[in-house]
Amino acid sequence: MSKHKVSMRDIAKECNVSVATVSYVLNHSENEKIGHDTCLKIVEAVTRLHYKPRNAVKKQKSDLVGVIICWKGHDTLGKRMAYYDLASKMSAQMKTLDFETIVLETEDPEKDVDTISSHNFSAAFFIDIDSKIADKITKHYYVPAIFLNCDTNDSLFCKIYPDYKNAIRKAKTMLNTNSPFLVMEDICNEDLKDQIIGEFPPNDVFINSSDADLNLFLQTHRQGKGIILGDILGLETELYINRHDLVVVSNFDDSNILLPDTKIIFIPNRKIADTAIETLQKMLALDYGKEEEDNRILVPCEVKT
């Protein structure tokens, strides 16, 4: 006897909802406003029961994918370069899949959510959005949404970000110290920022912004060893600290702006973009299998040899 194939009717019965409701959720319909908890319950049942659609998935209602970059008013050129490089790599990949990409930037995503929704995207990538604001937006967002370089507590949506904890462990080994200082750009997502800086004493952390004094911080840490998140920050820090006492975590495939023998750990935007596009393709194919707990995908680091 052949194994029973799970149907939408099975999902509906499991969740005590109508088949139409299951269809609305799985097809990301905006015509019907389904409660957030119901969406979560249906997606959980789809994963647990290994539901697969009977027919090939039709192309979405539009050919547009949004990349929404969230900024702070005091963000620096280095951060902007890194985020636009990520957006560019995703746009190039989406084009090969016959999707056009619109890149939007916002300093107030909660206020701009209606403008974002008005583009009628098939899916959206949010780069570095604050967790609390993300929670508010996703209560009313009904297309596939993937969060990049940020973390949220919402298990309905996928979060993709660098494995900073592993990168920091590797950097400490490369520097032969358990007490390096940290230099990083400011980020909007407080949850991810807390994960990173939680590995360091507060006095050994410098968060860069247009009104922060990197020179002053490095003067007080001149005899120490440091981990630098970001290529431009690495370039600036090399002016004050011996490069043999630094490890730079780079977002670019080949960071030619750094000195040739600088210690580098790569978490390239290319790999983040690859992971994001692969994840979106699974979502659009209704493949909701979770490879990571709570839909978190950590992008591994690569040590330069």
Side-chain angles (χ1 to χ4, degrees):
M1 181 179 293
S2 62
K3 187 177 180 180
H4 172 68
K5 186 172 183 179
V6 177
S7 67
M8 280 194 186
R9 189 175 299 279
D10 295 319
I11 301 298
K13 182 177 179 180
E14 182 75 12
C15 299
N16 196 28
V17 298
S18 69
V19 174
T21 298
V22 175
S23 177
Y24 289 139
V25 171
L26 296 186
N27 289 287
H28 312 291
S29 173
E30 295 187 12
N31 296 325
E32 298 289 333
K33 305 304 182 185
I34 311 299
H36 185 72
D37 291 341
T38 300
C39 291
L40 187 59
K41 183 166 61 174
I42 290 172
V43 171
E44 187 277 331
V46 165
T47 302
R48 176 164 44 83
L49 299 178
H50 305 290
Y51 168 78
K52 298 293 182 183
R54 294 184 181 277
N55 302 310
V57 178
K58 295 179 180 180
K59 197 170 183 64
Q60 297 292 300
K61 61 182 178 300
S62 77
D63 296 321
L64 288 178
V65 171
V67 178
I68 297 92
I69 306 176
C70 302
W71 301 118
K72 290 187 174 183
H74 58 221
D75 283 334
T76 64
L77 176 62
K79 177 180 173 180
R80 290 179 178 273
M81 286 177 61
Y83 283 179
Y84 273 112
D85 179 67
L86 175 58
S88 173
K89 285 179 168 52
M90 288 195 296
S91 295
Q93 291 201 37
M94 293 307 299
K95 194 170 185 63
T96 66
L97 300 174
D98 295 325
F99 285 90
E100 293 297 327
T101 303
I102 295 179
V103 178
L104 304 175
E105 56 180 74
T106 176
E107 291 185 20
D108 192 345
E110 184 178 6
K111 177 182 177 182
D112 294 338
V113 67
D114 289 340
T115 301
I116 295 169
S117 298
S118 69
H119 288 278
N120 198 31
F121 293 134
S122 297
F125 297 99
F126 290 89
I127 299 179
D128 188 16
I129 186 172
D130 179 76
S131 301
K132 294 179 181 178
I133 297 176
D135 289 342
K136 293 180 180 179
I137 289 177
T138 54
K139 297 293 184 184
H140 306 285
Y141 212 74
Y142 299 96
V143 300
I146 298 176
F147 295 91
L148 304 178
N149 288 13
C150 61
D151 198 5
T152 76
N153 293 319
D154 195 330
S155 59
L156 180 60
F157 294 95
C158 185
K159 288 80 63 173
I160 300 171
Y161 56 86
D163 189 352
Y164 285 116
K165 287 190 175 182
N166 191 37
I168 290 169
R169 284 194 295 268
K170 289 181 181 293
K172 288 180 178 180
T173 299
M174 294 166 69
L175 292 170
N176 194 27
T177 180
N178 288 320
S179 55
F181 62 82
L182 172 72
V183 175
M184 63 177 287
E185 298 287 358
D186 198 4
I187 59 179
C188 299
N189 188 263
E190 295 294 331
D191 286 357
L192 183 55
K193 181 161 64 175
D194 288 345
Q195 290 181 33
I196 297 170
I197 66 177
E199 302 286 321
F200 302 85
N203 290 337
D204 291 336
V205 174
F206 177 83
I207 298 178
N208 196 34
S209 66
S210 59
D211 52 3
D213 192 338
L214 177 60
N215 183 17
L216 178 62
F217 176 84
L218 294 177
Q219 289 291 340
T220 63
H221 291 77
R222 184 175 291 276
Q223 303 305 315
K225 298 180 179 182
I227 300 173
I228 317 301
L229 303 186
D231 301 77
I232 301 300
L233 277 176
L235 176 65
E236 294 180 58
T237 305
E238 285 179 333
L239 300 175
Y240 301 94
I241 305 293
N242 189 315
R243 62 186 180 278
H244 300 297
D245 293 328
L246 300 174
V247 171
V248 177
V249 179
S250 170
N251 298 122
F252 304 126
D253 292 312
D254 186 8
S255 194
N256 292 322
I257 65 174
L258 299 171
L259 294 171
D261 53 352
T262 296
K263 299 181 182 70
I264 299 176
I265 292 177
F266 288 109
I267 310 180
N269 282 333
R270 166 189 49 80
K271 183 172 287 189
I272 298 173
D274 288 347
T275 305
I277 302 307
E278 290 171 6
T279 301
L280 177 61
Q281 287 180 286
K282 290 181 180 180
M283 294 174 70
L284 293 178
L286 303 184
D287 181 358
Y288 283 91
K290 297 183 181 180
E291 298 179 359
E292 301 290 343
E293 184 179 359
D294 295 327
N295 260 346
R296 287 178 173 85
I297 300 177
L298 302 183
V299 179
C301 56
E302 306 167 358
V303 178
K304 179 182 179 181
T305 58

